[in-house]
Amino acid sequence: MEPIDETIARAMERGAKATAVEPRAASARFDVARKRLVLELVGDVELTIPVRALGFPADADLSGVRVEGGGFDLYFPAIDEGAFVPDLARAAIEHRLVA
C-alpha cells in the first residue's frame, strides 16, 4: 500500500495539472426569465445552457447555484444536485447535452 503522503502528493499534482487545462467556472447564475444556467468560465468565456439540456425538470429551481471546488463544481442547493464544470463545458461544445 502506498504511504498517504505519496498519495496526497500525486493527487495535488493531478489537481494542479487540471487547473491549468480544464475549464473552470468563475461565476454561475440562473437566468429565471430564460430558464438558462449562465456560466462565466475562467478566461472570460460565457456559456449559457438551457435547463432542459442539463437533464433537470423544466421547473427545477436552480437559483442559488454555487461555484465550488475551485471552479470545477456547481452545486444547486434547492434541488441538492451538483454538476462537474469540465463535463458541462465539453458536452455543450460537442453538442452532447440533452435537447
Side-chain angles (χ1 to χ4, degrees):
M1 181 183 280
E2 181 178 42
I4 191 69
D5 291 341
E6 290 176 26
T7 302
I8 292 170
R10 284 189 313 107
M12 296 295 287
E13 184 178 326
R14 283 193 310 272
K17 287 179 182 176
T19 298
V21 298
E22 293 285 354
R24 293 178 294 132
S27 67
R29 66 181 172 81
F30 178 53
D31 183 333
V32 177
R34 296 176 58 216
K35 298 257 186 220
R36 293 178 179 265
L37 176 65
V38 181
L39 296 176
E40 184 176 329
L41 302 177
V42 172
D44 202 28
V45 172
E46 187 173 279
L47 182 62
T48 306
I49 305 170
V51 173
R52 71 183 187 295
L54 295 169
F56 297 133
D59 62 345
D61 180 4
L62 303 184
S63 63
V65 59
R66 297 190 313 236
V67 175
E68 297 183 347
F72 286 106
D73 300 299
L74 299 178
Y75 179 64
F76 306 95
I79 59 172
D80 193 26
E81 291 284 344
F84 187 57
V85 172
D87 287 349
L88 280 178
R90 274 190 287 280
I93 291 166
E94 296 171 1
H95 306 288
R96 289 185 289 120
L97 288 176
V98 178

